[in-house]
Amino acid sequence: MRKANRGTVSGYFLAGRSMNWAAVGASLFVSNIGSEHFIGLAGSGAASGFSVAAWEFNALLLLQLLGWVFIPVYIQCGVYTMPEYLSKRYGGRRLKVYFAALSLVLYIFTKLSVDLYSGALFIQESLGWNLYLSIVLLIAMTAVLTVTGGLVAVIYTDTVQAFLMIAGALCLTGISFAKVGGLEGLRTKYMQAHPNITAILMSSPNLTLVESCKDHLHPKADALKILRGPKDPDLPWPGFLLGQTPASIWYWCADQVIVQRVLAAKNIAHAKGSTIMAGFLKILPMFIIVIPGMISRVLFADELACISPEHCVEVCGSAAGCSNVAYPRLVMSVMPVGLRGLMMAVMIAALMSDLDSIFNSASTIFTLDIYKMLRKEASPRELVITGRLFVVFMVAISIAWVPVIIEMQGGQMFYYIQEVCDYLTPPVAALFLLGILWRRCNETGAFWGGVVGFTLGALRLVLGFVYREPLCDQPDERPSFIRDIHFMYVAAFLFWASALTVIVVSLCTPPPGKEQIRATTLWGLKQRRKLKTQGRDRDKEDLNNFKLLDHAAENGNGVVGEETSHNHQSEPGSTDSRYENTQPANGSIIPVQPPLQNGCSNLSEPRLGNEGEGRELMDVEEGEEGRFGGGGDLVENGKCVNVFERICGLQEKSSVNTAQEERIVDELLYEPPRTKIVLNTALVLICSVGIFLFGYFSV
């Protein structure tokens, strides 16, 4: 943690860009797979079969879109947060503030609240602890981890938790498969997993069975398929491909929790490697979460497929359904006593991982995108302290939100998360996609596209809360446009309506300036690479001409060669890459003098001879926002301040100039030829695996 310099903005929020691909890939997986996945995915698997696994296989593909399209642009424009990217790409403040506020709202209502509820539900099912005490302790432990360590502590913790989580879940999967006779046995027994109505009514004479509730008792005919018919209530394939997939781009390519981890990678090669690793890991939830949920229904059909709202209340305390308890019931019933403790550790690890991810990313957004805008003169030291204090504020809100979380007992938790996100995030996905892919897109078009999409989505979300789905023993009197139109089709409409608005308004208004799109678009990235290639070719040609002239001078009296050499070295058009390419075979640092900058020469600047020593110069980037007081340079009154600074790890170093920033970006974007071939081969492989899995489980 000290190596990442957690006392700096880059060190605390981006782990000093020092993480390797394995650590980042594991952190990506664990940050996504939280306790809500163990509860929600398994619960939806018990209720509706394979369909919920579509989100996992879809993520496998979208992660590669992040690594190959979005991350290179994010690195080139040098952003820490996603609202900061919107501000650099489009200019102005309104889009940046809109996205920052929306992200914080989504964190609270779809991540933080659901995580706490799912963790509380597991603890209640497994240990019977007091919910408030256990949640407060978990939040406190997570907050201490995040406040004292920053992102580097989060990523290292995630790496350890990834192995713990996968090991425990694989143990449960193996034992569960043995109970039902493998995958083929599951296919047969799941379709027969319905409750024994006669036995339930005899054991509970006060219960009554309404005819309308019988439809929920039997598994659906296409439960063993992922992509289903256009009118399927769980996963209609047109809605998933046209609506859910664009909406998911927000989470996987523009969400602070995910992108912040990939930006912490050493360079673009490690960033791409991390998305490939995370993509392979995303295959696992189908087998270690969804299928165990289906097995739980086979083993406990009388409990999970409760016959009436009254029966559901007796079983799990929720009138809407009991599918969410599928995973905890399976753990407590089939696992040996010793392994139950392992699974408990897995669930706590998943909960803490998700919470520390939310705390760290939310504090980053608030500090750099909201607080810094309100206090422009805020020092970097003040920004880091504010980020840590905001974590404490998030903890207080989380604890106060616990009573509301306990009341949020919908039928399928995972579908609740997706529905809320699908009403609010498609416009954001459109803004990011068009911003990166289309250089003509401007701030006016993006703003009105966001306004149109957000207004329509928020209206549909409010109507969804007003007209809630009734219990199975009550008539459904909701309007037909709410009852019959799946939320994925609404997401498709919102995405394409927002995109169309952005395109039309952008074409009717002046285009953005070239400086605005130079570093924030895919076009700008291609132009940068093109110029670098032309510069290298020109340098090679100049070097060859110099060698020929020098050889000719050696055959003469030497005067011509000396004069030519002098003129060549002082040529105004010579590029800076000549100095970068000047290195001995052993790859050592060469202290050469670069060209004059603003009339001055930076004599102390070293050049890097190889990639391994590149980390030494990369640390200069952490000074981009300045460093913080430390040692004897800062005089503070009182021992409390000194203790606080020791905990926060505040430091101070010099800043970097534009030329150094450009060299840092070049290093971050550089891919060795062999590494590039390996990464592209892995890309083809992981995409082929994802498409195959979609097809295999949909026929």
Side-chain angles (χ1 to χ4, degrees):
M1 288 194 290
R2 292 189 178 276
K3 184 179 180 181
N5 252 329
R6 58 189 176 91
T8 68
V9 174
S10 176
Y12 182 72
F13 293 124
L14 294 184
R17 295 191 192 272
S18 61
M19 309 307 298
N20 60 44
W21 62 271
V24 175
S27 181
L28 277 174
F29 177 73
V30 180
S31 298
N32 170 245
I33 302 296
S35 57
E36 87 283 357
H37 274 69
F38 281 96
I39 300 295
L41 279 180
S44 294
S48 58
F50 286 153
S51 64
V52 73
W55 275 272
E56 304 305 303
F57 296 156
N58 198 39
L60 181 153
L61 301 174
L62 293 180
L63 275 165
Q64 313 321 313
L65 181 67
L66 170 66
W68 263 258
V69 176
F70 284 81
I71 286 297
V73 176
Y74 293 154
I75 291 176
Q76 181 182 222
C77 60
V79 296
Y80 290 98
T81 69
M82 296 302 93
E84 183 185 2
Y85 170 77
L86 288 179
S87 179
K88 286 191 174 184
R89 170 61 180 88
Y90 295 111
R93 295 182 179 180
R94 49 188 183 178
L95 283 175
K96 179 179 179 180
V97 174
Y98 155 69
F99 183 71
L102 178 62
S103 297
L104 294 177
V105 169
L106 288 171
Y107 284 157
I108 293 174
F109 291 102
T110 66
K111 292 185 178 181
L112 188 58
S113 60
V114 173
D115 277 349
L116 292 175
Y117 169 69
S118 58
L121 186 63
F122 187 90
I123 293 173
Q124 183 183 41
E125 286 289 322
S126 58
L127 298 178
W129 288 2
N130 180 276
L131 293 178
Y132 292 98
L133 176 61
S134 58
I135 289 176
V136 168
L137 289 176
L138 287 172
I139 292 177
M141 292 166 56
T142 306
V144 169
L145 169 70
T146 307
V147 167
T148 57
L151 182 61
V152 65
V154 172
I155 292 181
Y156 281 133
T157 305
D158 286 350
T159 305
V160 176
Q161 290 172 351
F163 291 103
L164 181 65
M165 183 185 301
I166 294 173
L170 284 175
C171 289
L172 179 62
T173 302
I175 296 174
S176 302
F177 265 133
K179 295 280 186 180
V180 297
L183 185 59
E184 290 303 319
L186 173 64
R187 290 177 181 270
T188 302
K189 294 179 180 179
Y190 180 82
M191 300 306 296
Q192 302 170 353
H194 51 80
N196 188 333
I197 299 176
T198 304
I200 293 174
L201 292 177
M202 290 181 62
S203 61
S204 302
N206 295 330
L207 296 178
T208 57
L209 177 62
V210 181
E211 191 68 23
S212 59
C213 289
K214 290 185 178 180
D215 296 337
H216 303 277
L217 303 183
H218 300 277
K220 300 174 182 179
D222 52 2
L224 301 181
K225 295 182 179 179
I226 289 182
L227 298 179
R228 303 176 183 177
K231 295 184 179 181
D232 186 81
D234 294 316
L235 200 137
W237 71 265
F240 184 82
L241 296 180
L242 298 177
Q244 183 60 56
T245 298
S248 296
I249 290 175
W250 160 77
Y251 180 79
W252 290 109
C253 300
D255 178 60
Q256 184 68 22
V257 173
I258 300 299
V259 175
Q260 188 176 1
R261 273 144 185 75
V262 185
L263 286 178
K266 293 180 178 180
N267 51 44
I268 188 62
H270 282 270
K272 290 180 178 180
S274 69
T275 61
I276 291 174
M277 176 182 176
F280 279 111
L281 290 176
K282 289 297 286 181
I283 300 174
L284 292 176
M286 172 67 171
F287 301 97
I288 66 176
I289 301 179
V290 177
I291 287 180
M294 298 172 66
I295 295 175
S296 184
R297 172 163 181 152
V298 172
L299 300 178
F300 314 108
D302 289 352
E303 300 174 6
L304 300 184
C306 42
I307 65 174
S308 67
E310 294 81 7
H311 184 215
C312 293
V313 171
E314 287 186 5
V315 173
C316 64
S318 173
C322 292
S323 60
N324 285 333
V325 302
Y327 201 85
R329 289 285 168 94
L330 188 66
V331 170
M332 301 307 297
S333 300
V334 306
M335 295 282 279
V337 176
L339 290 180
R340 290 180 192 174
L342 174 63
M343 288 309 300
M344 184 65 191
V346 168
M347 293 304 299
I348 293 178
L351 176 62
M352 289 184 61
S353 172
D354 231 18
L355 290 178
D356 65 29
S357 299
I358 294 169
F359 289 153
N360 188 275
S361 298
S363 66
T364 304
I365 290 178
F366 176 80
T367 302
L368 300 183
D369 296 316
I370 296 179
Y371 184 81
K372 191 175 181 180
M373 184 189 67
L374 298 176
R375 280 184 52 83
K376 295 182 180 179
E377 71 280 4
S379 65
R381 175 176 178 268
E382 182 180 347
L383 292 179
V384 173
I385 294 175
T386 301
R388 290 177 166 95
L389 292 178
F390 185 73
V391 171
V392 178
F393 177 71
M394 288 279 292
V395 170
I397 292 182
S398 304
I399 297 175
W401 195 253
V402 169
V404 181
I405 298 168
I406 296 176
E407 296 175 2
M408 293 173 53
Q409 300 186 16
Q412 295 187 47
M413 181 192 305
F414 192 79
Y415 277 92
Y416 158 78
I417 300 172
Q418 302 306 323
E419 184 173 4
V420 174
C421 290
D422 280 9
Y423 292 147
L424 298 178
T425 60
V428 178
L431 298 188
F432 274 89
L433 265 180
L434 290 174
I436 285 181
L437 300 179
W438 189 39
R439 57 178 175 171
R440 181 63 176 78
C441 183
N442 61 20
E443 193 271 346
T444 305
F447 174 74
W448 287 109
V451 168
V452 170
F454 176 77
T455 302
L456 295 175
L459 178 62
R460 179 60 181 85
L461 180 62
V462 171
L463 291 175
F465 281 121
V466 172
Y467 297 100
R468 295 187 180 184
E469 182 178 359
L471 300 176
C472 66
D473 60 349
Q474 299 175 357
D476 192 347
E477 299 177 349
R478 295 176 296 168
S480 60
F481 71 91
I482 293 179
R483 181 183 64 247
D484 300 329
I485 300 179
H486 199 279
F487 65 84
M488 293 184 188
Y489 289 116
V490 178
F493 172 76
L494 294 174
F495 176 81
W496 298 107
S498 300
L500 183 61
T501 303
V502 173
I503 292 172
V504 171
V505 175
S506 294
L507 292 176
C508 295
T509 51
K514 286 190 176 181
E515 280 301 314
Q516 198 171 5
I517 62 175
R518 182 182 62 85
T520 57
T521 61
L522 202 60
W523 171 84
L525 182 64
K526 291 181 179 179
Q527 290 295 112
R528 181 191 189 93
R529 291 172 176 170
K530 183 179 178 181
L531 291 175
K532 291 294 180 183
T533 301
Q534 292 176 351
R536 285 194 296 267
D537 293 341
R538 185 166 57 249
D539 287 342
K540 289 180 181 179
E541 183 178 352
D542 291 346
L543 185 60
N544 291 333
N545 292 336
F546 174 72
K547 289 180 178 179
L548 291 175
L549 291 173
D550 190 54
H551 179 69
E554 289 179 359
N555 295 332
N557 57 12
V559 176
V560 177
E562 182 180 352
E563 181 179 356
T564 304
S565 176
H566 176 75
N567 292 337
H568 179 80
Q569 290 178 354
S570 60
E571 181 183 351
S574 62
T575 63
D576 198 46
S577 59
R578 177 179 297 114
Y579 298 93
E580 294 176 354
N581 293 332
T582 306
Q583 62 181 34
N586 60 3
S588 59
I589 296 178
I590 307 173
V592 300
Q593 180 174 336
L596 297 178
Q597 299 174 358
N598 300 325
C600 299
S601 177
N602 185 1
L603 298 176
S604 61
E605 178 182 287
R607 298 294 175 142
L608 297 180
N610 59 26
E611 184 179 358
E613 293 165 339
R615 294 296 96 220
E616 193 169 322
L617 179 57
M618 294 274 284
D619 288 340
V620 178
E621 182 230 8
E622 296 175 348
E624 180 179 351
E625 298 288 341
R627 299 299 176 106
F628 316 110
D633 298 332
L634 181 66
V635 179
E636 296 284 358
N637 295 324
K639 295 183 178 179
C640 294
V641 175
N642 294 331
V643 173
F644 184 80
E645 289 178 353
R646 284 181 177 273
I647 295 175
C648 293
L650 302 180
Q651 292 180 310
E652 181 174 332
K653 286 189 179 181
S654 60
S655 60
V656 297
N657 55 37
T658 303
Q660 288 173 324
E661 289 178 354
E662 287 296 315
R663 283 193 294 275
I664 291 170
V665 171
D666 287 339
E667 279 201 8
L668 290 173
L669 292 176
Y670 174 71
E671 291 181 83
R674 292 184 179 179
T675 303
K676 191 172 184 178
I677 294 174
V678 172
L679 290 173
N680 290 337
T681 303
L683 172 66
V684 174
L685 176 61
I686 189 64
C687 291
S688 301
V689 170
I691 295 172
F692 168 77
L693 290 173
F694 263 117
Y696 179 79
F697 286 103
S698 297
V699 296

